[in-house]
Amino acid sequence: MAKELTKIQRQLLDHLIEQKVSRGIQPTLAEIAAHFGYKNRSTVQQHLQALEKKGFIKKNPKLSRAIELTLEDKFFIPRPILGEVAAGNPLTIYPDAIDTIELPTIVRMPKDSFLLRVKGDSLKDAYIFSGDIVIVNPNLEPKNGQIVVAVLDDAAVVKRFYKKKNEIELVSENPEFKPIVIDKKYPSFKLVGIVVGVYRSMTKKAG
Amino acid sequence: MAKELTKIQRQLLDHLIEQKVSRGIQPTLAEIAAHFGYKNRSTVQQHLQALEKKGFIKKNPKLSRAIELTLEDKFFIPRPILGEVAAGNPLTIYPDAIDTIELPTIVRMPKDSFLLRVKGDSLKDAYIFSGDIVIVNPNLEPKNGQIVVAVLDDAAVVKRFYKKKNEIELVSENPEFKPIVIDKKYPSFKLVGIVVGVYRSMTKKAG
DNA sequence: TAAAATGCCATACATTTGTATGGTAAAATA
DNA sequence: TATTTTACCATACAAATGTATGGCATTTTA
């Protein structure tokens, strides 16, 4: 199985993977040809035959968009969780997906929205607990009292948002944690998004 | 506003979602017709047109397997809430949907499962609160310790399930509420389903 | 150097696929 | 009652699609 791929074959395979992840469907020969600038489908056809011969894909004959990725398990990730967010003290956000969440969908997330898994208990009085999945929308303007995700330096937190005259306060529901005041002291402060929902799967052992 | 779907339209939409999950690609009209036992593609064609008209899908004209689920952009899909369930004292269950909630598409709805809104605080130590939406799967066998929905007479409750030798105990996490023991005294006892997930909207549209 | 593999194009063709059009029957609605 | 909506079937057709076959220049391999 360890047959080597040529540069173009590799590019084509990458394109198939990328299409499957981003669009959810496989392209047709014509679409692939258009993407690579080929004037003809048969060029793609031959590359696919090479890929199949080398065992990287499997084709369902006669069916459209029926390219099966043999390495799908390695490449296809249901839904990446981008990092863990501290409800208490800040936690480092990870550059890449640290985990995948099982329940989510098939159905793609809305544009630019993403999931984060919460760690820590500072928001337990807002009914958000360690292990919960928060759905974050980065395209909304925060209103006072809403729960937001923000980045301080290299860490991210989930807190309630309050805008005041010359500063922003990030408040934990839990009185054990003091409010974080954003002013000149946090030049790297960046609002990540608004928490629009919380989801918790009960299929694993509860309590 | 979200337009209402007929039963068959809803089934078809669910099938599209399910296909996208399990197969990774969208079916063709012919495949859908075969799945539902239709002898003709045009029947499917008209259902899809209805779905598109109501804004749930978008079709890429002339392209095969190009049914786009608008849920991805919508992020939320209206689902009926069938009733309210008491986490504390029993509440009456309603025969029809009492409300709808815009459920994020990432929240997975197992087949045949439905939604109930929780009222009462008896499960607050299990992190379920008044106003939360529970996703109930009626096709699972309950295991000890799992949270279930059960009907006693004409009322429904959400409790932890424990099967003992000659009886079943429904336990609240909150010690204020005493366990309900199911034996001969509850001839109308019926298990409704298992709580497989909890969702809470943070956008506070509807109280 | 000769042979094989690679990369790309062109043409041809049987199906598949989406879509338009028209029809029938039952149920819901006015 | 008349009208609309829903649900399904049949036929027809243009475009899309996968596939087969042949050709040619370049690169790699033997």
Side-chain angles (χ1 to χ4, degrees):
Chain A
M1 173 75 77
K3 301 201 176 176
E4 296 196 0
L5 292 177
T6 68
K7 190 173 176 182
I8 294 183
Q9 287 165 3
R10 171 96 250 158
Q11 286 177 357
L12 211 155
L13 183 60
D14 284 343
H15 183 244
L16 292 181
I17 296 168
E18 199 261 327
Q19 284 288 297
K20 176 146 195 178
V21 173
S22 66
R23 281 216 303 166
I25 63 175
Q26 291 291 11
T28 63
L29 298 201
E31 290 171 348
I32 299 173
H35 177 264
F36 284 95
Y38 296 144
K39 295 184 177 177
N40 206 287
R41 284 167 287 156
S42 58
T43 299
V44 178
Q45 173 188 357
Q46 287 167 56
H47 287 313
L48 291 182
Q49 286 172 348
L51 281 175
E52 185 167 25
K53 201 173 175 183
K54 295 182 180 179
F56 286 85
I57 64 173
K58 218 160 70 184
K59 291 194 81 284
N60 240 321
K62 303 287 182 186
L63 289 184
S64 64
R65 304 180 188 274
I67 303 169
E68 202 177 309
L69 297 177
T70 313
L71 306 176
E72 195 172 333
D73 295 336
K74 299 175 188 171
F75 289 106
F76 193 51
I77 309 169
R79 176 55 51 185
I81 298 177
L82 290 185
E84 290 171 344
V85 184
N89 293 315
L91 274 186
T92 303
I93 243 187
Y94 296 83
D96 294 316
I98 61 167
D99 198 2
T100 59
I101 179 169
E102 205 174 295
L103 41 100
T105 54
I106 7 99
V107 185
R108 262 178 295 154
M109 289 288 279
K111 210 176 179 188
D112 297 331
S113 289
F114 54 92
L115 307 176
L116 293 173
R117 173 171 284 135
V118 173
K119 287 222 165 179
D121 288 331
S122 98
L123 277 168
K124 70 180 179 187
D125 290 326
Y127 306 152
I128 299 177
F129 301 91
S130 199
D132 286 1
I133 305 293
V134 291
I135 301 150
V136 181
N137 188 332
N139 298 323
L140 293 178
E141 281 297 312
K143 298 172 186 172
N144 274 351
Q146 279 189 328
I147 294 176
V148 302
V149 176
V151 171
L152 309 174
D153 303 321
D154 281 338
V157 292
V158 180
K159 303 258 182 192
R160 271 199 201 281
F161 176 94
Y162 290 100
K163 183 164 191 173
K164 307 205 170 179
K165 295 212 169 170
N166 292 318
E167 59 189 35
I168 292 172
E169 250 187 39
L170 301 179
V171 182
S172 288
E173 216 80 358
N174 191 329
E176 293 176 31
F177 298 90
K178 293 177 183 173
I180 298 176
V181 178
I182 306 297
D183 48 20
K184 311 294 184 192
K185 287 192 296 184
Y186 283 101
S188 65
F189 166 80
K190 195 183 166 194
L191 192 71
V192 175
I194 315 273
V195 174
V196 296
V198 184
Y199 177 71
R200 186 184 315 127
S201 173
M202 309 289 286
T203 50
K204 295 174 185 174
K205 184 189 167 190
Chain B
M1 275 304 173
K3 304 189 177 172
E4 302 259 340
L5 292 177
T6 68
K7 192 173 177 183
I8 293 184
Q9 287 166 2
R10 162 115 266 142
Q11 286 176 357
L12 212 155
L13 183 61
D14 284 341
H15 182 245
L16 292 180
I17 296 173
E18 200 251 322
Q19 282 289 295
K20 184 156 188 177
V21 181
S22 61
R23 284 216 303 165
I25 62 175
Q26 291 293 9
T28 63
L29 298 201
E31 290 169 349
I32 299 174
H35 177 263
F36 284 96
Y38 296 144
K39 295 185 178 177
N40 207 288
R41 281 169 288 157
S42 58
T43 300
V44 178
Q45 172 189 356
Q46 286 167 57
H47 287 313
L48 291 182
Q49 285 172 349
L51 281 176
E52 184 168 25
K53 200 172 176 183
K54 295 181 180 178
F56 286 85
I57 64 173
K58 218 160 68 186
K59 291 195 80 283
N60 242 320
K62 303 290 182 183
L63 289 185
S64 66
R65 303 180 188 275
I67 303 169
E68 204 176 309
L69 296 177
T70 318
L71 316 180
E72 301 162 6
D73 299 323
K74 270 189 170 179
F75 192 19
F76 294 104
I77 175 173
R79 292 270 182 181
I81 299 177
L82 291 187
E84 289 173 343
V85 189
N89 294 315
L91 273 187
T92 302
I93 235 184
Y94 298 85
D96 292 317
I98 60 166
D99 199 2
T100 60
I101 183 175
E102 302 277 308
L103 195 68
T105 54
I106 66 131
V107 176
R108 181 168 146 191
M109 291 279 294
K111 220 169 182 203
D112 299 327
S113 58
F114 53 90
L115 305 177
L116 295 174
R117 175 174 284 134
V118 173
K119 292 230 167 178
D121 287 333
S122 98
L123 277 168
K124 71 180 180 186
D125 290 327
Y127 305 152
I128 298 177
F129 301 90
S130 198
D132 285 2
I133 304 294
V134 290
I135 301 154
V136 182
N137 189 332
N139 297 322
L140 292 178
E141 282 297 314
K143 297 172 186 172
N144 275 350
Q146 279 188 328
I147 294 175
V148 301
V149 176
V151 171
L152 309 174
D153 304 321
D154 280 338
V157 292
V158 181
K159 303 263 183 188
R160 272 198 200 278
F161 176 94
Y162 290 100
K163 183 164 193 174
K164 306 207 170 179
K165 295 212 168 169
N166 293 318
E167 59 189 37
I168 291 173
E169 250 187 40
L170 300 180
V171 183
S172 286
E173 215 82 357
N174 191 330
E176 295 175 29
F177 297 91
K178 292 177 184 174
I180 299 176
V181 178
I182 306 297
D183 47 20
K184 313 292 183 193
K185 287 193 294 184
Y186 283 100
S188 66
F189 166 79
K190 195 182 167 196
L191 191 71
V192 175
I194 315 276
V195 174
V196 296
V198 183
Y199 175 71
R200 185 183 317 125
S201 171
M202 309 291 285
T203 49
K204 289 192 177 178
K205 271 185 182 176

